[in-house]
């Protein structure tokens, strides 16, 4: 699976970084970096990333189901 981030919608609240810091990172100005932009997540990060998408208060993160990721 992948996560698509809507950077226009993101307000920098940071809940995604708390849930999945390997995937999402905010800089000091509150701008989001998505470390897996445009590519599938490793299987071991999928649950955390789903949790991050679920808690985003402005629904800026969308889960996209793709082919199964290889187990890591
Ligand atoms: S939780 Fe949502 S609004 Fe907050 S930084 Fe992450 S994507 Fe942006």
């Amino acid at each position: 699976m992948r996560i698509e981030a809507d950077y226009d919608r993101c307000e920098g609240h940071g809940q995604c970084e708390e849930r999945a810091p390997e995937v999402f990172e905010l800089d000091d100005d509150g701008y989001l970096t998505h470390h897996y932009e445009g590519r599938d997540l490793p299987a071991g990060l999928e649950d955390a990333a789903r949790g991050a998408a679920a808690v985003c208060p402005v629904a800026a993160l969308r889960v996209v189901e793709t082919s199964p990721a290889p187990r890591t």
Side-chain angles (χ1 to χ4, degrees), residues 5-6 9-17 24 26 30-32 52-53 55-61:
D6 183 337
R9 188 181 286 257
C10 172
E11 295 179 351
H13 296 289
Q15 286 95 327
C16 56
E17 184 182 40
F24 304 107
L26 290 178
Y31 288 104
L32 178 68
V55 298
C56 177
V58 295
L61 302 175

Side-chain angles (χ1 to χ4, degrees), residues 3-65:
I3 300 277
E4 291 183 350
D6 183 337
Y7 295 96
D8 291 331
R9 188 181 286 257
C10 172
E11 295 179 351
H13 296 289
Q15 286 95 327
C16 56
E17 184 182 40
E18 290 177 19
R19 288 292 186 102
E22 302 91 345
V23 181
F24 304 107
E25 183 177 351
L26 290 178
D27 68 15
D28 291 342
D29 295 321
Y31 288 104
L32 178 68
T33 295
H34 178 357
H35 292 297
Y36 290 89
E37 179 71 57
R39 57 194 176 111
D40 285 352
L41 286 149
L45 295 180
E46 286 187 352
D47 287 348
R50 282 182 208 280
V55 298
C56 177
V58 295
L61 302 175
R62 190 169 75 92
V63 175
V64 179
E65 299 297 344

